[in-house]
């Protein structure tokens, strides 16, 4: 079963938008490693280069539920701001959530309703004489486009299909994001203190949770040292 996932900075500052872009890269790399198929269906560009306010994607695969167990929730990045060097804050949270109860719209060209009409305004010899303009409507969502770019009705029809599909999918994404925005603050408040993943460092390759192994190694060294002392 397909899963619609959103990685979002919520209402977080620019630093959180940077974290979204970095987390998305790691997320997709792990998805590939776990043979999880994905399709990015929308990106909301951030306020600076290489930043994202959110990314919405569809995941496919038999192990997708198991894969998401290690991702769904809040994600914490610990580090100094990459935009404000002297900013005191070092903990930056973003969220990764499943958009439940909504399915990706399967756009079907056979459902489009076409209406031809005369082109409007000044133009070639066919303007206001032949019905070369095309209005395409998608009844399932009520979205429509009007195309009169070409003197050819066929070319206008092809363009209307492309533009209508983009418009319908954009409408669907807006609905998803509206639901996500309504639930974001609640999720963040509940999960801020218990992040599912913790990263640190500007290279974003180190998982902060792995530092626990340093304590274990240190403890083992002390135990080995004490053992040697006992032997002596």
């Amino acid at each position: 079963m397909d899963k619609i996932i959103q990685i979002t900075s919520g209402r977080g500052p620019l630093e959180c938008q940077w974290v979204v872009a970095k987390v998305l890269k790691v997320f997709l790399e792990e998805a590939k490693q776990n043979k999880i198929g994905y399709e990015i269906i929308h990106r909301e560009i951030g306020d600076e280069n290489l930043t994202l306010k959110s990314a919405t994607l569809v995941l496919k695969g038999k192990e997708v539920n198991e894969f998401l167990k290690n991702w769904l929730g809040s994600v914490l990045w610990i580090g100094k701001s990459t935009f404000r060097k002297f900013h005191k804050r070092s903990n930056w949270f973003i969220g990764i959530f499943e958009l439940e109860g909504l399915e990706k719209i399967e756009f079907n060209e056979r459902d489009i309703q076409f209406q031809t009409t005369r082109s409007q305004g000044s133009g070639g010899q066919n303007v206001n004489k032949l019905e070369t303009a095309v209005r395409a409507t998608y009844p399932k969502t009520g979205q429509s486009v009007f195309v009169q770019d070409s003197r050819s009705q066929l070319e206008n029809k092809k363009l209307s299909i492309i533009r209508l599909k983009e418009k319908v999918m954009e409408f669907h994404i807006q609905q998803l994001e509206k639901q996500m925005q309504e639930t974001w603050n609640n999720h963040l408040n509940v999960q801020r203190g218990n992040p599912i993943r913790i990263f640190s460092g500007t290279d974003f390759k180190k998982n902060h949770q792995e530092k626990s192994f340093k304590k274990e190694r240190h403890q083992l060294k002390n135990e080995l040292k004490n053992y040697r002392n006992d032997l002596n």
Side-chain angles (χ1 to χ4, degrees):
M1 182 178 178
D2 295 355
K3 298 283 187 180
I4 301 178
I5 304 299
Q6 187 178 71
I7 304 175
T8 174
S9 62
R11 297 179 181 177
L14 184 58
E15 288 81 1
C16 293
Q17 298 175 20
W18 179 82
V19 176
V20 168
K22 301 294 285 187
V23 166
L24 176 62
K25 182 178 179 180
V26 177
F27 185 92
L28 296 182
E29 288 176 352
E30 289 195 14
K32 290 179 182 178
Q33 295 172 3
N34 287 272
K35 298 181 179 180
I36 304 296
Y38 65 84
E39 176 187 359
I40 299 176
I41 56 178
H42 184 68
R43 294 179 195 233
E44 185 177 0
I45 304 301
D47 297 323
E48 293 285 348
N49 291 336
L50 304 178
T51 66
L52 289 171
K53 291 183 179 179
S54 68
T56 307
L57 51 156
V58 177
L59 299 182
K60 302 178 181 180
K62 295 181 179 179
E63 304 299 326
V64 66
N65 288 329
E66 192 66 26
F67 172 73
L68 289 175
K69 287 181 180 179
N70 297 318
W71 279 106
L72 294 181
S74 64
V75 175
L76 168 63
W77 177 69
I78 301 175
K80 294 297 182 181
S81 171
T82 57
F83 303 97
R84 296 175 287 178
K85 294 183 179 180
F86 300 105
H87 198 283
K88 294 182 179 181
R89 178 176 169 184
S90 59
N91 293 342
W92 311 93
F93 287 89
I94 67 167
I96 302 181
F97 305 117
E98 178 183 354
L99 298 178
E100 298 178 293
L102 291 173
E103 296 181 359
K104 178 187 173 185
I105 289 180
E106 296 297 336
F107 185 85
N108 194 331
E109 295 181 11
R110 290 177 295 182
D111 295 328
I112 299 176
Q113 294 179 353
F114 295 100
Q115 180 183 3
T116 58
T117 184
R118 293 178 181 180
S119 295
Q120 302 171 358
S122 61
Q125 63 181 5
N126 289 339
V127 173
N128 295 325
K129 294 181 181 180
L130 299 178
E131 293 187 345
T132 57
V134 175
R135 181 177 298 280
T137 304
Y138 202 67
K140 291 184 177 180
T141 63
Q143 305 297 304
S144 66
V145 295
F146 180 78
V147 181
Q148 58 176 6
D149 298 44
S150 172
R151 297 180 182 180
S152 166
Q153 183 185 112
L154 180 60
E155 289 300 316
N156 285 332
K157 185 175 182 181
K158 291 179 180 179
L159 284 173
S160 72
I161 294 174
I162 295 173
R163 293 176 185 176
L164 184 59
K165 181 177 181 179
E166 292 175 351
K167 194 170 184 179
V168 169
M169 295 310 297
E170 181 66 23
F171 171 78
H172 183 57
I173 293 300
Q174 289 174 356
Q175 298 303 306
L176 295 179
E177 291 186 337
K178 182 179 180 181
Q179 176 184 326
M180 192 66 256
Q181 190 62 49
E182 291 173 351
T183 60
W184 161 252
N185 288 329
N186 290 334
H187 280 297
L188 185 59
N189 290 335
V190 171
Q191 300 182 17
R192 182 186 291 272
N194 186 29
I196 191 72
R197 288 286 186 98
I198 303 176
F199 295 96
S200 63
T202 55
D203 59 3
F204 228 78
K205 294 180 180 179
K206 299 178 181 179
N207 190 318
H208 188 68
Q209 292 175 327
E210 293 177 356
K211 289 185 178 180
S212 61
F213 292 107
K214 293 183 178 180
K215 293 181 179 180
E216 293 179 5
R217 288 195 295 269
H218 184 69
Q219 182 178 355
L220 288 173
K221 287 182 180 179
N222 287 336
E223 291 178 356
L224 181 60
K225 183 178 179 180
N226 293 333
Y227 177 72
R228 288 175 176 172
N229 290 334
D230 290 341
L231 290 178
N232 294 329

